[in-house]
């Protein structure tokens, strides 16, 4: 229990507040039995002002997590943009360097083997002349290949830096998703506590209990988003999902936190 409370952040103070509010509304018979029947007939889930308030608090916390992710990663996104531009330029440079290697490896032409001085024009200088031209060609090939290797190394370095930056941003987004889901789980636990104690204090609680089996949440779709996409686009486009969860409220001692929270048996997501 201690580990679960620490993970969700649902402490005794909040639990007592939810219990107190549930019992107060129960004594006021709010919502009335007929209102609950209408809500169940409408969409199968029930709600009330206090659960709606708890949901709005959870949504605010989730929005803050997403805003923090975007704010903290803005410098990283700018750096990634600059690195990608350098990578694109390096790719073009590699193409030019490869073309240079191909050109350097072309065999010597008859024009290149022509004498360039009166010494090379001597009859006994043919072997020396060819050796000089082959040595010059080898130097050109070596220089071209060295340039190609340098650009390739630059590409690999840039690619590694880009991959590391993207992975760091994705990890932070996944962490923001986890914290947002924890906020949703805490909200669900608080709502479950509220309904449990409302039923206990409600004049028609015995009739309400069988109906209050499901509670609805509104969760932003980005908490379920695959973090494998481009980090700059994560969480930018999302919709609010209507999530219906089955209530399995606990029966805690009066001065202690609930032993378990509501655990969803299935999710039905829709826009």
């Amino acid at each position: 229990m201690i580990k679960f409370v620490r993970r969700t952040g649902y402490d005794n103070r909040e639990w007592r507040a939810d219990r107190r509010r549930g019992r107060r509304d129960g004594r006021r018979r709010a919502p009335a039995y007929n209102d609950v029947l209408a809500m169940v007939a409408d969409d199968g889930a029930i709600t009330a002002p206090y659960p709606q308030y708890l949901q709005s608090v959870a949504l605010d916390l989730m929005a803050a997590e997403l805003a923090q992710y975007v704010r903290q990663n803005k410098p990283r996104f700018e750096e990634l943009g600059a690195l990608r531009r350098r990578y694109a330029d390096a790719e073009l440079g590699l193409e030019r360097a490869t073309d240079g290697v191909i050109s350097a490896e072309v065999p010597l032409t008859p024009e290149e083997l022509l004498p360039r001085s009166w010494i090379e024009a001597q009859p006994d200088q043919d072997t020396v002349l060819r050796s000089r031209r082959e040595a010059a060609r080898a130097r050109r090939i070596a220089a071209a290949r060295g340039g190609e290797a340098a650009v390739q190394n630059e590409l690999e370095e840039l690619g590694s830096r880009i991959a590391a930056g993207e992975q760091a941003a994705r990890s932070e987004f996944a962490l923001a998703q986890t914290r947002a889901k924890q906020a949703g789980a805490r909200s669900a636990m608080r709502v479950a506590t509220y309904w449990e104690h409302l039923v206990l204090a409600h004049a028609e609680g015995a009739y309400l209990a069988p109906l209050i089996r499901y509670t609805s949440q509104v969760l932003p779709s980005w908490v379920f988003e695959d973090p494998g996409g481009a980090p700059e686009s994560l969480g930018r486009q999302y919709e609010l999902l209507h999530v219906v969860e089955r209530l399995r409220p606990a029966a805690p001692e009066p001065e202690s936190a609930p032993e378990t929270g509501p655990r969803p048996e299935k999710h039905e997501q829709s826009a």
Side-chain angles (χ1 to χ4, degrees), residues 41-234:
D42 183 27
D43 62 4
I46 60 174
T47 188
Y50 188 66
Q52 290 174 350
Y53 161 75
L54 294 177
Q55 179 64 78
S56 67
V57 171
L59 284 175
D60 287 344
L61 291 174
M62 296 178 197
E65 291 292 346
L66 181 59
Q68 182 180 10
Y69 164 76
V70 175
R71 182 173 58 255
Q72 288 185 345
N73 283 275
K74 183 178 180 180
R76 177 177 286 132
F77 295 156
E78 293 174 352
E79 181 183 6
L80 283 172
L83 288 174
R84 293 190 185 106
R85 289 190 292 272
R86 288 178 56 188
Y87 190 91
D89 292 340
E91 283 185 317
L92 294 176
L94 181 60
E95 292 180 5
R96 292 191 293 268
T98 301
D99 292 340
V101 171
I102 294 174
S103 299
E105 291 177 342
V106 172
L108 293 173
T109 62
E111 289 77 12
E112 290 178 297
L113 293 174
L114 292 175
R116 298 178 182 174
S117 67
W118 67 271
I119 296 177
E120 291 181 348
Q122 301 300 316
D124 59 348
Q125 293 295 310
D126 290 345
T127 302
V128 175
L129 185 150
R130 175 172 288 275
S131 178
R132 288 178 178 175
R133 299 296 187 270
E134 289 290 353
R137 176 174 175 269
R139 289 192 295 271
R140 290 197 302 270
I141 293 174
R145 289 177 178 174
E148 183 185 39
V151 177
Q152 182 64 49
N153 290 337
E154 181 184 7
L155 270 177
E156 292 176 358
E157 179 187 358
L158 290 172
S160 297
R161 292 175 62 184
I162 291 171
E166 290 179 343
Q167 183 57 43
R170 293 189 184 107
S171 297
E172 292 186 9
F173 182 76
L175 184 59
Q177 287 179 307
T178 299
R179 287 196 287 254
K181 289 175 183 177
Q182 288 175 347
R186 184 177 69 177
S187 175
M189 292 177 68
R190 299 191 67 178
V191 169
T193 299
Y194 167 82
W195 286 119
E196 177 191 4
H197 289 281
L198 182 144
V199 168
L200 292 175
H202 202 290
E204 299 168 317
Y207 303 100
L208 287 177
L211 299 175
I212 305 179
R213 295 174 296 172
Y214 296 91
T215 182
S216 62
Q217 286 193 83
V218 177
L219 297 176
S221 59
W222 69 266
V223 304
F224 306 107
E225 186 176 347
D226 181 7
E232 297 91 337
S233 66
L234 294 176

Side-chain angles (χ1 to χ4, degrees), residues 4 185 188 214-215 217 219 243-248 261-268:
F4 190 74
Y214 296 91
T215 182
Q217 286 193 83
L219 297 176
V243 180
V244 177
E245 293 187 343
R246 186 177 182 87
L247 275 179
R248 297 167 63 178
R263 301 196 179 193
E265 294 188 350
K266 71 174 182 177
H267 286 179
E268 299 176 1

